[in-house]
Amino acid sequence: MLDVPDLDTANRCAVVTRKGGAREVIAWQTATTRLLPRMLAGRKSGPLFLTDRKARPSVATNDIDPGTGRARLSYRRAAELFEAHTAGYTGGPYTLHQLRHSRLIKPRRTARRPRC
């Protein structure tokens, strides 16, 4: 899970919650830093990745963006979207698992540890 308040845009990193509640620091590259403001669209709270529609009444409150009423994007739906959008690339379609191991910079692999 990744929520907007978890982002440290100044240091290009975030603390993410993994399976079982473990927390880990991730960092991103310059291109992501440029795209984040467009994705956030001024939001200061709620889930980072949202669905296209309003949430159903059964969705947990912490999985809903308070400003738009849209729900947190599920892993399944994110995987479907990512594979559909990478199908035209050489070697595609790619999976989220492949993405995770491609360009994501983890602090233990970098010479300079992000301050997050």
Side-chain angles (χ1 to χ4, degrees), residues 4 7 9 28 30-44 47-50 68 70:
V4 175
L7 302 175
T9 53
W28 54 83
T30 305
T32 303
T33 302
R34 289 187 196 124
L35 292 173
L36 269 176
R38 289 178 26 193
M39 183 173 190
L40 293 174
R43 294 184 297 125
K44 302 285 185 212
L48 179 61
F49 302 103
L50 300 173
T68 64
R70 294 164 46 200

Side-chain angles (χ1 to χ4, degrees), residues 73-85 94-96:
L73 188 66
S74 71
Y75 186 90
R76 180 192 59 78
R77 184 65 180 140
E80 289 172 356
L81 290 169
F82 188 74
E83 289 180 25
H85 285 87
Y94 294 101
T95 66
L96 288 178

